Amino acid sequence: MKTSSVTFLCVCLWIAGCAIAPPPPTPLQIQAFQSQEFETHKRVAFGSVLSVFQDLGYIVQSADIDTGFITASSPTGSRNGWWEILEDSSTSAQTRATAFVEEIRPGFVTVRLNFVDSKHQSSKEGQTTDRDTPILDPKAYQVAFNKIGDAIFVRAATR
């Protein structure tokens, strides 16, 4: 009787010790941490987002104030580890970013950001693999929004 109780207890502790990964965020949760409202005009917010992207080292590919859409990417970095030398391959990586600035009512805008890690791997045989991975860490977006908020404050104060 004691052996089965001890075995049962050990099995329960073992099961409890197994970590269960949290479920991925829902589309609504993703939209919530990728968006933030600011009390400002669209032109000020748009310029602030552009400025912050550049401050973060991104290269702006396109920006259209009428649509409110901005695309940017980080410089491409080459990553050659020891395993890639053995496999005769190379990997390059960059982060791509988009922003959508929308006036929701007079004097208020919503900014939605999207960051994606892009990896490109090519081998000497000519095979290539591209992998895009959305960045789903809310902290990354909050840091960007804090910088955008600061830029809006500075722009508004100088007007």
Side-chain angles (χ1 to χ4, degrees), residues 55-135:
D55 291 347
L56 293 174
Y58 286 86
I59 301 162
V60 175
Q61 273 100 28
S62 67
D64 184 347
I65 195 159
D66 291 332
T67 62
F69 199 68
I70 303 167
T71 61
S73 62
S74 67
T76 303
S78 181
R79 297 181 183 164
N80 288 327
W82 61 270
W83 63 90
E84 292 166 334
I85 293 169
L86 294 175
E87 295 176 356
D88 287 332
S89 67
S90 66
T91 302
S92 61
Q94 71 179 161
T95 301
R96 291 181 295 139
T98 60
F100 178 57
V101 181
E102 178 181 33
E103 185 175 37
I104 52 174
R105 62 186 179 276
F108 289 87
V109 297
T110 296
V111 176
R112 181 161 183 191
L113 302 175
N114 187 19
F115 296 109
V116 176
D117 273 334
S118 295
K119 290 187 175 70
H120 177 82
Q121 185 172 9
S122 58
S123 69
K124 302 254 184 207
E125 293 85 33
Q127 295 175 329
T128 61
T129 304
D130 291 321
R131 180 167 291 132
D132 291 337
T133 307
I135 296 175

Side-chain angles (χ1 to χ4, degrees), residues 19-82:
I20 297 173
T26 66
L28 193 56
Q29 289 169 324
I30 293 169
Q31 182 179 358
F33 66 72
Q34 287 183 338
S35 302
Q36 187 161 328
E37 184 177 306
F38 295 95
E39 185 175 357
T40 190
H41 299 285
K42 183 178 179 180
R43 188 168 291 285
V44 172
F46 192 84
S48 297
V49 172
L50 278 173
S51 177
V52 167
F53 276 176
Q54 290 176 326
D55 291 347
L56 293 174
Y58 286 86
I59 301 162
V60 175
Q61 273 100 28
S62 67
D64 184 347
I65 195 159
D66 291 332
T67 62
F69 199 68
I70 303 167
T71 61
S73 62
S74 67
T76 303
S78 181
R79 297 181 183 164
N80 288 327
W82 61 270

Side-chain angles (χ1 to χ4, degrees), residues 2-20:
K2 283 186 173 181
T3 306
S4 63
S5 297
V6 170
T7 304
F8 177 75
L9 180 62
C10 288
V11 169
C12 288
L13 289 174
W14 178 73
I15 290 172
C18 294
I20 297 173

